Amino acid sequence: MPLVLLILRIELPLNELSTLQIELPLFALKFVDTEQFQWLRDLKQLGLAYMVYPGAVHSRFEQSLGVYFLAGKAVEKLQKYHGLELDVEPLDLQTVKLAGLLHDIGHGPFSHLYESEFLPRVLNGCTWSHENMSVDMIDYIVDEHRIDVDSGILKRAKEMILASSEIEVPQRTGETSFLYDIVANVRNGIDVDKFDYIKHDCRACGLGSIFQFERLMETMRVMGDKICYPAKEYLSVQKLFATRADLYQTVYTHAKVKEIKNSYNDQFELPLPIPSK
């Protein structure tokens, strides 16, 4: 299958002064050009947080495209440094980018509210996860839209999406198993998904951030089967998790945001009115 037959340029806001242009080859465009993916335009990344932080209206559509872009850049930078010894094929690059593109396609209404708060309230013992739903949704999209995609690429992309979930996935083996840590890194939590949403969330909510993911992107290396970083970048890693903790405390678990979530959950549980005859 050709890697590039058609290119679509999409501009995403990177900061207040510039935009980021992303080129989508045909294999990615086939998924983007479906109603299931387009629905992500209406799904806010931070759910109901926009009712407290009016700027938090960015969507999972742009976040998915951002992770697609950063996942590809991460592989390319590793290839540039390690050269042929890395043994990464063009199909490997395609697989990682596809995982980045589709990693959030299984999110329910109001993002994490549906998964972590609403379902546990109405379905005792529910173990539903957006990662698992993303995998099911990918299978549905491929069947419904008759997308011609290599079965091996699809299988590995789904395993990469499930990498950070509680679902048991096959043991990764081989010299390129580090590719599974780019989109969702269960080993240490440093991945391009966090690079993207931390930058967007801080900007949207007006939080100052000194974390610069670009430094980690430039210095990442492969040692054995793991992605590693030089010791001198320990401050960059510290800033990553400090900024994420600040977002949790200041935005994600803000007292008013939690009150609004509880109010919505209460409304969701009300019985539907019976139409009069």
Side-chain angles (χ1 to χ4, degrees):
M1 181 174 63
L3 290 182
V4 179
L5 292 179
L6 176 66
I7 290 179
L8 172 68
R9 286 188 178 272
I10 295 180
E11 292 192 359
L12 297 180
L14 186 61
N15 53 48
E16 289 78 6
L17 301 176
S18 64
T19 58
L20 172 67
Q21 288 192 342
I22 295 179
E23 296 182 347
L24 289 179
L26 182 58
F27 87 90
L29 187 59
K30 287 179 179 178
F31 286 93
V32 172
D33 195 24
T34 63
E35 61 269 30
Q36 290 79 19
F37 194 93
Q38 291 296 317
W39 179 73
L40 295 178
R41 290 181 183 271
D42 298 322
L43 188 60
K44 292 181 175 62
Q45 175 76 12
L46 297 183
L48 295 167
Y50 76 97
M51 301 187 77
V52 177
Y53 294 92
V57 293
H58 52 303
S59 70
R60 292 198 175 270
F61 178 86
E62 60 193 81
Q63 203 268 341
S64 296
L65 291 172
V67 177
Y68 164 89
F69 174 80
L70 291 180
K73 285 297 180 184
V75 176
E76 290 169 0
K77 287 183 180 298
L78 290 173
Q79 283 181 301
K80 182 178 180 180
Y81 179 81
H82 291 281
L84 296 177
E85 67 177 280
L86 207 56
D87 195 28
V88 172
E89 302 292 338
L91 290 183
D92 293 323
L93 174 61
Q94 198 172 348
T95 302
V96 176
K97 294 173 74 172
L98 187 63
L101 182 69
L102 303 177
H103 76 287
D104 269 353
I105 201 167
H107 265 290
F110 303 101
S111 291
H112 287 290
L113 170 66
Y114 181 77
E115 172 184 6
S116 60
E117 298 185 39
F118 172 66
L119 286 182
R121 286 178 65 166
V122 298
L123 297 175
N124 189 29
C126 176
T127 58
W128 189 93
S129 73
H130 75 271
E131 294 95 349
N132 195 21
M133 189 61 194
S134 291
V135 168
D136 292 340
M137 185 64 74
I138 291 170
D139 289 335
Y140 175 81
I141 291 173
V142 170
D143 293 339
E144 179 71 13
H145 298 277
R146 299 178 181 178
I147 297 177
D148 182 20
V149 57
D150 182 86
S151 59
I153 290 178
L154 203 62
K155 178 177 180 293
R156 293 185 68 199
K158 291 189 291 185
E159 290 175 355
M160 291 175 183
I161 292 172
L162 292 174
S164 64
S165 72
E166 297 180 357
I167 302 169
E168 185 176 349
V169 296
Q171 186 68 32
R172 296 168 291 175
T173 58
E175 295 181 355
T176 59
S177 61
F178 67 89
L179 294 172
Y180 286 75
D181 296 334
I182 291 177
V183 173
N185 191 338
V186 70
R187 302 198 216 211
N188 56 36
I190 306 174
D191 51 55
V192 297
D193 183 25
K194 289 185 182 66
F195 292 173
D196 186 87
Y197 77 68
I198 285 176
K199 189 176 187 70
H200 278 89
D201 293 356
C202 286
R203 178 181 60 84
C205 298
L207 269 66
S209 172
I210 57 175
F211 168 62
Q212 295 179 315
F213 71 81
E214 294 87 353
R215 289 187 62 89
L216 294 180
M217 289 278 285
E218 288 293 337
T219 58
M220 62 170 56
R221 303 289 184 261
V222 176
M223 298 181 66
D225 63 347
K226 300 179 180 65
I227 294 179
C228 302
Y229 302 87
K232 66 179 181 179
E233 290 302 328
Y234 77 94
L235 282 178
S236 296
V237 174
Q238 182 186 51
K239 290 173 185 176
L240 163 65
F241 291 106
T243 305
R244 185 168 180 258
D246 189 23
L247 281 166
Y248 264 92
Q249 184 175 6
T250 309
V251 179
Y252 306 156
T253 60
H254 187 285
K256 290 299 182 183
V257 174
K258 292 174 70 174
E259 286 182 20
I260 294 169
K261 286 181 177 180
N262 289 334
S263 175
Y264 270 66
N265 278 324
D266 292 340
Q267 293 297 315
F268 292 153
E269 290 187 82
L270 292 176
L272 294 174
I274 301 176
S276 57
K277 295 184 180 179

